């Protein structure tokens, strides 16, 4: 991509963020004529209209909105490269946008951010808590934490830890319904399922990928919140499948009992993912190293 195209995209993004061509010209600084010429050149290059100009504000066309989102991502990557080449990797700075599963982010990551920000005073963090796989480019996410096997992709991955899923229920529920002795007993029990789409679920058992078994579960309760599921299980609603670290206190205090331990699946890996263009990013490396150091020895994930 030619440098003049990058400059034109930067001007286009600045105009959208500023709300007008004149405001963009003042902030660059540049002349109004130069700003208008760059945006017109972009429209001519892509063969489409990007902005609808009115007397008071700018409005993006559909093509303009797509270019705006992609241009912000491209410009962010260029800035990362410039910082790495300039040697700024010695001092993490700027903005770091991280995504993580909701419960893990709330219980294990958010409590650490105060110390991390104190250690990196030139850095700010956006923490996005979502139970889905984000698109790093389209959503402008620098680093994503994901649990489970990572399919083949062009993203850089680093394994941070392992997450053990366990099955448990309250003593009250087990007194009423009995304790399952094998996974094949579960279809006759009330199972609590983490999902936002009710129906049928499959729970995997056994640590051998080839010799393991899969049990189809007809859930009595479906919730898209692990917190809510654990609370329901604690109050006798049924058997729940959750990360071991989530219910450590409930197990220690006897409010939940761990079931089918000898049949538990192999731990699922927790990975950090980021784009190859950010390989030399000081802020990404600083955050990953911070998590590894904080989790070493304390075993917050129940490894």
């Amino acid at each position: 991509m030619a440098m003049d195209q990058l400059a034109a995209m930067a001007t286009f993004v600045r105009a959208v963020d500023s709300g007008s061509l004149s405001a963009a010209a003042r902030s660059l600084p540049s002349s109004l004529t130069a700003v208008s010429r760059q945006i017109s050149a972009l429209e001519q290059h892509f063969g489409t209209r990007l902005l609808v100009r009115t007397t008071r504000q700018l409005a993006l066309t559909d093509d303009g909105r797509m270019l705006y989102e992609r241009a912000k991502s491209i410009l962010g990557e260029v800035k990362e490269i410039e910082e790495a080449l300039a040697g700024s990797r010695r001092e993490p700075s700027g903005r770091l946008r991280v995504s993580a599963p909701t419960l893990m982010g709330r219980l294990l990551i958010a409590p650490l951010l105060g110390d991390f920000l104190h250690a990196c005073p030139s850095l700010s963090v956006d923490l996005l808590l979502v139970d889905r796989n984000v698109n790093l480019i389209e959503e402008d996410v620098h680093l994503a934490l994901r649990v489970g096997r990572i399919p083949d992709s062009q993203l850089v991955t680093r394994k941070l830890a392992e997450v053990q899923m366990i099955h448990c229920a309250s003593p009250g529920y087990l007194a009423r319904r009995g304790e399952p002795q094998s996974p094949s007993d579960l279809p006759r029990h009330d199972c609590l399922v983490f999902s936002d789409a009710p129906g049928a679920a499959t729970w995997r058992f056994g640590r051998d990928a080839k010799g393991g078994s899969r049990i189809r579960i007809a859930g009595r309760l479906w919730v898209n919140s692990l917190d809510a599921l654990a609370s329901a299980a604690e109050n006798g609603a049924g058997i729940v499948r959750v990360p071991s670290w989530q219910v450590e206190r409930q197990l220690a205090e006897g409010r939940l009992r761990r079931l089918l331990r000898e049949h538990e699946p192999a731990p699922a890996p927790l990975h950090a993912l980021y784009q190859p263009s950010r390989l030399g990013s000081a802020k990404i490396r600083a955050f990953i190293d911070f998590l590894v150091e904080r989790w070493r020895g304390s075993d917050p994930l129940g490894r």
Side-chain angles (χ1 to χ4, degrees):
M1 182 177 293
M3 290 301 294
D4 56 345
Q5 290 177 342
L6 279 176
M9 285 198 300
T11 299
F12 171 69
V13 169
R14 183 65 65 89
V16 174
D17 289 341
S18 302
S20 70
L21 300 186
S22 57
R26 290 193 298 270
S27 64
L28 283 171
S30 182
S31 68
L32 179 60
T33 301
V35 169
S36 180
R37 187 183 298 118
Q38 282 184 303
I39 293 178
S40 295
L42 269 184
E43 292 178 326
Q44 184 176 358
H45 174 77
F46 289 109
T48 186
R49 194 172 188 183
L50 303 175
L51 294 173
V52 178
R53 302 168 179 82
T54 67
T55 55
R56 292 189 175 183
Q57 63 181 3
L58 297 176
L60 285 167
T61 64
D62 289 341
D63 289 337
R65 184 172 296 103
M66 180 179 67
L67 178 62
Y68 171 76
E69 294 172 355
R70 296 298 179 89
K72 288 195 73 170
S73 177
I74 291 171
L75 294 169
E77 291 187 18
V78 170
K79 185 176 181 180
E80 293 277 357
I81 294 172
E82 290 174 344
E83 291 176 352
L85 293 177
S88 62
R89 64 184 67 186
R90 293 185 298 270
E91 175 66 27
S93 61
R95 166 178 161 266
L96 177 64
R97 186 165 167 82
V98 179
S99 76
T102 303
L103 187 67
M104 178 179 294
R106 185 174 65 82
L107 296 183
L108 298 184
I109 297 175
L112 302 178
L113 291 182
D115 289 345
F116 177 70
L117 293 174
H118 180 73
C120 301
S122 300
L123 194 60
S124 61
V125 174
D126 294 347
L127 182 59
L128 178 65
L129 302 182
V130 289
D131 293 313
R132 60 177 175 81
N133 292 341
V134 301
N135 185 306
L136 272 66
I137 296 177
E138 293 182 0
E139 300 183 58
D140 190 26
V141 172
H142 303 131
L143 177 69
L145 301 182
R146 292 183 188 168
V147 178
R149 306 296 172 185
I150 304 299
D152 292 339
S153 72
Q154 297 180 342
L155 296 175
V156 179
T157 65
R158 179 174 173 183
K159 183 178 176 181
L160 302 179
E162 292 183 331
V163 176
Q164 180 65 60
M165 300 298 291
I166 66 171
H167 308 81
C168 50
S170 71
Y173 171 84
L174 296 175
R176 294 195 316 271
R177 301 293 302 275
E179 181 173 340
Q181 300 303 307
S182 73
S184 61
D185 294 335
L186 289 177
R188 296 188 293 274
H189 278 269
D190 296 338
C191 294
L192 317 180
V193 183
F194 174 68
S195 176
D196 56 4
T202 300
W203 286 355
R204 181 174 57 85
F205 293 87
R207 294 178 178 261
D208 185 346
K210 294 183 179 179
S213 62
R214 293 178 180 272
I215 303 297
R216 195 169 180 82
I217 303 297
R220 288 291 311 279
L221 176 65
W222 298 70
V223 187
N224 64 344
S225 164
L226 286 172
D227 268 341
L229 280 179
S231 177
E234 189 177 339
N235 285 279
I239 298 174
V240 70
R241 180 187 181 102
V242 290
S244 60
W245 50 264
Q246 180 190 354
V247 293
E248 182 179 18
R249 178 175 297 177
Q250 292 93 322
L251 292 172
E253 295 176 355
R255 289 178 283 151
L256 289 174
R257 280 174 49 191
R258 191 167 179 172
L259 309 173
L260 303 171
R261 188 161 187 159
E262 64 276 18
H263 299 283
E264 287 172 354
L270 169 65
H271 287 100
L273 295 83
Y274 54 95
Q275 299 172 54
S277 60
R278 304 187 190 275
L279 192 58
S281 170
K283 55 191 178 185
I284 288 179
R285 187 174 65 254
F287 189 74
I288 292 176
D289 290 346
F290 176 83
L291 290 182
V292 170
E293 179 62 29
R294 279 305 182 95
W295 288 347
R296 180 182 293 126
S298 62
D299 194 22
L301 299 178
R303 288 166 287 177

